[in-house]
Amino acid sequence: MKKKTILVTGGAGFIGTNFIRHALAVRKNWHIVNIDALTYAGNPANFDDLAPDHAERYRFIRGDIGNASLLERIFSEENLEGIFHFAAESHVDRSILGPERFLETNVIGTFRLLEESLKFWENTGKPEGFRFLHISTDEVYGSLGTEGYFTEITPYDPSSPYSASKAASDHFVKAYFRTYGLPTIITNCSNNYGPYQFPEKLIPLMILNILEEKPLPVYGDGTNIRDWLYVIDHCDALIEVFEEGKPGDNYNIGGGAERQNIEIVHLLCDLMDARLGRSGGGSSQRLIRFVTDRPGHDWRYAIDATKIRKELGWSPNHGFEEALETTIDWYMNNMDWVNTVRSGEYKKWIEINYEGREI
Ligand code: NAD
Ligand code: TYD
């Protein structure tokens, strides 16, 4: 099979790590170049245990996607056939406390990557199969009430600095298709969960706090709804879109697993109590605390994934409860990983974000 070289940005983060590990396994002719700035969310050690036949098809470059000359060098060194663009500042709460970094990476960084990709694509004779796949979020659509779903034609209506920056980057990506013909595709996915997720996000934060018998901070009344997708199902969808999707199009990706935050916290308590032998008055449910809500907190996200199901034949392979159990087991068996990512910077974040919230 002919060698295919793919650039992944932000591949040392949560989804990027899962994507690279999965893609090396399911696409034996893919060689992956990962550029990652290694912010607090990136961990290059996620690849230390790659099997030798995977490791030889993997190259890591530490660098910022905002660095045009570095990008230019990578494009001149590697005969790239496509890009999976994951790199982003990705945490809503951090965007509320410090939005500027979100503009720098998500908007300017994406712009620089588009510019260098366009130059490369034009200079190499506009190769037919080249794709620029931009990994975006359902949060660009804003919040739903009790009814309805996000479709690919739902108008953008972002609420947080994070989702506003992702919306802006999506618009640039689409503009580079319409204006210059660069074969871009955008995916808008719902909330992911699974191994290697940084423990500032709901599911890993709750797993670790339950394990360590710390308070479980539920924002507002806990009725907010997210549509959860196991990360490997997301990765399969991205490969499908990259290989079969139509340039210029958007594809919504979702798990069809809507849950209220409080339901998830209850479920995690039950599943972990069974593992930890806690019951009765000692149940982890006693740790739940309703805390000050997130400002501008979107109430409900829910994806209509009809387009990707019908046009590309993708659907999730993992049920929510089963994959949540896999995720819990991964964290419980990988406390060394957890302790590595919970550096001094992580502790500072926990103090800033939760100290100000009334309990
Ligand atoms: P993450 O925060 O875990 O990882 C982001 C990675 O990007 C990190 O490794 C970080 O070091 C790197 N990075 C940040 N700024 C960079 C820069 N300027 N240059 C190079 N690398 C940089 O995020 P994630 O959860 O893996 O999300 C990946 C992508 O998927 C993001 O674009 C996000 O918007 C999108 N997305 C995430 C979810 C989700 O539930 N996590 C859902 C839908 C879409
Ligand atoms: P999060 O994992 O930050 O993802 P997103 O904001 O991108 O959806 O949060 C998921 C939901 O969980 C969201 O409604 C906010 C809520 N949440 C809490 O209730 N407590 C917490 O400590 C965190 C981090 C999130």
Side-chain angles (χ1 to χ4, degrees), residues 8-18 34-44 46 60-67 85-91 101 104-106 109-110 134-139 162 165-166 169 187-193 196-198 200-201 227-229 231 234 238 253:
V8 169
T9 71
F14 162 48
I15 305 176
T17 292
N18 282 285
N34 174 14
I35 173 178
D36 196 299
L38 300 184
T39 68
Y40 75 93
N43 184 4
N46 293 350
F60 177 69
I61 299 168
R62 182 174 189 172
D64 195 309
I65 54 162
N67 181 346
H85 175 33
F86 294 93
E89 288 292 335
S90 70
H91 190 197
R101 188 70 207 137
E104 284 163 7
T105 287
N106 301 0
T110 298
H134 177 63
I135 289 91
S136 190
T137 163
D138 60 355
E139 304 196 20
Y162 163 66
S165 68
K166 290 296 289 188
S169 68
T187 53
N188 298 92
C189 189
S190 60
N191 287 61
N192 284 215
Y193 64 100
Y196 300 102
Q197 186 166 32
F198 195 78
E200 64 190 354
K201 302 280 175 84
D227 176 352
W228 294 92
L229 181 69
V231 63
H234 185 193
L238 295 174
I253 306 171

Side-chain angles (χ1 to χ4, degrees), residues 85-160:
H85 175 33
F86 294 93
E89 288 292 335
S90 70
H91 190 197
V92 173
D93 292 321
R94 285 186 190 254
S95 81
I96 294 169
L97 292 173
E100 190 158 340
R101 188 70 207 137
F102 286 70
L103 266 92
E104 284 163 7
T105 287
N106 301 0
V107 186
I108 307 288
T110 298
F111 159 72
R112 296 240 196 284
L113 188 65
L114 283 165
E115 277 286 279
E116 293 308 318
S117 305
L118 179 63
K119 266 197 246 167
F120 170 81
W121 180 70
E122 287 178 336
N123 291 341
T124 52
K126 302 188 176 178
E128 181 71 16
F130 186 87
R131 295 286 179 272
F132 182 113
L133 178 49
H134 177 63
I135 289 91
S136 190
T137 163
D138 60 355
E139 304 196 20
V140 296
Y141 298 123
S143 184
L144 292 165
T146 47
E147 300 287 312
Y149 297 90
F150 298 134
T151 73
E152 285 78 4
I153 56 166
T154 301
Y156 277 26
D157 186 22
S159 304
S160 70

